[in-house]
Amino acid sequence: MNITCNFVTDFVELYYENLVSPETALAIRSHLKTCTHCRNYYHDYQTIKNKKSSPAVNISDLEEDMTGTEERLCANLSKRLRRRRFWGLVGTSAVIGAGSVMLTIGLFLTYKRSNSA
């Protein structure tokens, strides 16, 4: 099973909680071995989850330690959302442009047929 980075980042929480099928877990593990970006993302996720579940951690220390990790995760999410928004606009523009071209051709052919008759 060949998976993408988007798949891994979307399923990182389920993988961490061991709530994916054995085949999916194997595919994610294989991807994490080869992809530095996803491995870092998963490590950051583990860090956040481990620090939030540890009752002995002082809240102020936790906030200081997690600031960089949370900023990286937020920046990553923001980047992904901007990219999705951009490609959504590109796709919408392409559909509108193709529709306009088809309408123009249809009108031109109709006009040409009515003038030649």
Side-chain angles (χ1 to χ4, degrees):
M1 177 188 217
N2 188 10
I3 60 173
T4 64
C5 292
N6 285 337
F7 181 89
V8 172
T9 55
D10 288 346
F11 282 87
V12 73
E13 182 175 0
L14 295 174
Y15 175 74
Y16 178 80
E17 299 291 337
N18 201 21
L19 297 174
V20 295
S21 69
E23 295 84 14
T24 303
L26 178 63
I28 291 174
R29 254 192 315 277
S30 298
H31 184 84
L32 290 174
K33 287 180 184 176
T34 60
C35 181
T36 306
H37 168 73
C38 290
R39 194 169 40 251
N40 290 340
Y41 187 89
Y42 181 68
H43 176 70
D44 290 345
Y45 183 82
Q46 282 180 312
T47 302
I48 289 172
K49 290 300 274 188
N50 290 338
K51 288 191 177 191
K52 284 186 177 178
S53 65
S54 174
V57 175
N58 185 355
I59 297 296
S60 62
D61 293 340
L62 178 64
E63 289 173 351
E64 290 173 10
D65 291 345
M66 290 179 50
T67 302
T69 303
E70 286 180 355
E71 286 175 358
R72 279 196 310 274
L73 289 173
C74 288
N76 184 320
L77 180 60
S78 176
K79 182 179 170 183
R80 288 178 61 205
L81 289 174
R82 277 194 311 264
R83 192 178 307 139
R84 283 185 184 172
R85 237 182 278 128
F86 171 77
W87 286 112
L89 288 173
V90 168
T92 303
S93 300
V95 168
I96 291 171
S100 299
V101 168
M102 291 173 63
L103 180 64
T104 303
I105 290 172
L107 290 173
F108 176 74
L109 293 175
T110 304
Y111 176 75
K112 191 172 183 181
R113 215 178 285 147
S114 66
N115 280 344
S116 62

